[in-house]
Amino acid sequence: KQEVTQIPAALSVPEGENLVLNCSFTDSAIYNLQWFRQDPGKGLTSLLLIQSSQREQTSGRLNASLDKSSGRSTLYIAASQPGDSATYLCAVPSGGYQKVTFGTGTKLQVIP
Amino acid sequence: DGGITQSPKYLFRKEGQNVTLSCEQNLNHDAMYWYRQDPGQGLRLIYYSQIVNDFQKGDIAEGYSVSREKKESFPLTVTSAQKNPTAFYLCASSIGQGALQPQHFGDGTRLSIL
């Protein structure tokens, strides 16, 4: 059974700092990995999707990497801003690719 | 604008009552999903549907029911058999079948017990 872990559960950084969020998964036979952002009381917004054949995917100040062999993905946020404050979740397909398993998320607070 | 609409935003349930959460999408997506989110537990899959008139149980389907009579609609009923229904419910959809495509989410419905 695929399990997805995100550590730390919460992170607080000063504005302008570069930071890395971690995602670990137990079954390395994944097809892709997706990073989401969730604002309080809202749904999830897709940030980046990395295919298993890719090692990196970039969008603006966000860069996601994938290392299937070690079962890890990282989300790098450059020059953090208060507007980046949210919970960040990663997710991978599971159950014969009919379902998606989510991590529990990292709650990020960027302090002005 | 294309997207997923969940309603209502807030819902209250009395003891012994069934309540239905609405999810409508105009993205022309084949697959739709219902998740439950509790604090500190991430998202857990309740039901999913890859095509009209077909749906499958997820990891925590007990006490819930769904229907998929139209491509754009996937309502979730929380029955009286669900003893702990207080949670944030999220509906999602993806193009094509399976979980290999990006999932798009609605803004959720928060259900509470009166």
Side-chain angles (χ1 to χ4, degrees):
Chain A
K1 178 184 175 183
Q2 178 74 272
E3 294 183 2
V4 182
T5 304
Q6 292 185 248
I7 296 173
L11 181 64
S12 183
V13 301
E15 181 178 1
E17 190 164 298
N18 301 328
L19 60 101
V20 174
L21 305 179
N22 298 298
C23 172
S24 301
F25 44 92
T26 54
D27 185 351
S28 62
I30 62 170
Y31 187 82
N32 61 37
L33 185 144
Q34 195 167 1
W35 281 95
F36 293 88
R37 168 187 173 134
Q38 185 178 27
D39 294 293
K42 296 288 188 180
L44 278 65
T45 300
S46 179
L47 297 174
L48 291 164
L49 184 146
I50 313 177
Q51 301 292 350
S52 62
S53 57
Q54 299 175 305
R55 291 190 63 84
E56 284 189 3
Q57 189 71 252
T58 298
S59 176
R61 294 183 294 108
L62 305 179
N63 176 276
S65 68
L66 176 62
D67 185 344
K68 284 179 55 178
S69 61
S70 67
R72 297 178 64 178
S73 176
T74 61
L75 180 66
Y76 174 84
I77 302 177
S80 59
Q81 303 171 358
D84 295 330
S85 297
T87 297
Y88 292 81
L89 299 96
C90 62
V92 296
S94 59
Y97 300 142
Q98 297 298 310
K99 302 186 290 184
V100 175
T101 298
F102 286 82
T104 53
T106 294
K107 186 175 182 179
L108 172 66
Q109 181 183 25
V110 181
I111 303 168
Chain B
D1 282 335
I4 299 176
T5 302
Q6 291 187 241
S7 62
K9 188 172 178 65
Y10 299 97
L11 187 58
F12 297 90
R13 197 192 86 169
K14 296 179 181 179
E15 290 287 340
Q17 186 181 43
N18 293 351
V19 292
T20 298
L21 285 62
S22 171
C23 178
E24 302 278 333
Q25 55 100 357
N26 60 4
L27 299 167
N28 200 33
H29 285 175
D30 290 308
M32 297 187 74
Y33 309 82
W34 272 107
Y35 295 94
R36 170 179 171 142
Q37 187 175 33
D38 295 279
Q41 293 195 42
L43 276 69
R44 293 183 289 169
L45 182 65
I46 305 173
Y47 269 98
Y48 62 102
S49 169
Q50 304 291 2
I51 198 168
V52 175
N53 293 323
D54 185 56
F55 49 83
Q56 306 295 328
K57 292 182 178 180
D59 301 318
I60 55 165
E62 186 174 350
Y64 300 97
S65 66
V66 294
S67 62
R68 187 84 187 277
E69 297 176 0
K70 298 186 296 183
K71 187 176 184 177
E72 59 270 23
S73 178
F74 191 40
L76 173 74
T77 296
V78 184
T79 74
S80 57
Q82 173 50 247
K83 298 307 180 185
N84 183 25
T86 298
F88 190 50
Y89 291 86
L90 288 163
C91 178
S93 70
S94 63
I95 193 167
Q97 297 183 9
L100 306 182
Q101 302 295 331
Q103 294 208 338
H104 301 259
F105 283 80
D107 276 343
T109 292
R110 188 166 298 279
L111 176 61
S112 302
I113 293 291
L114 275 179

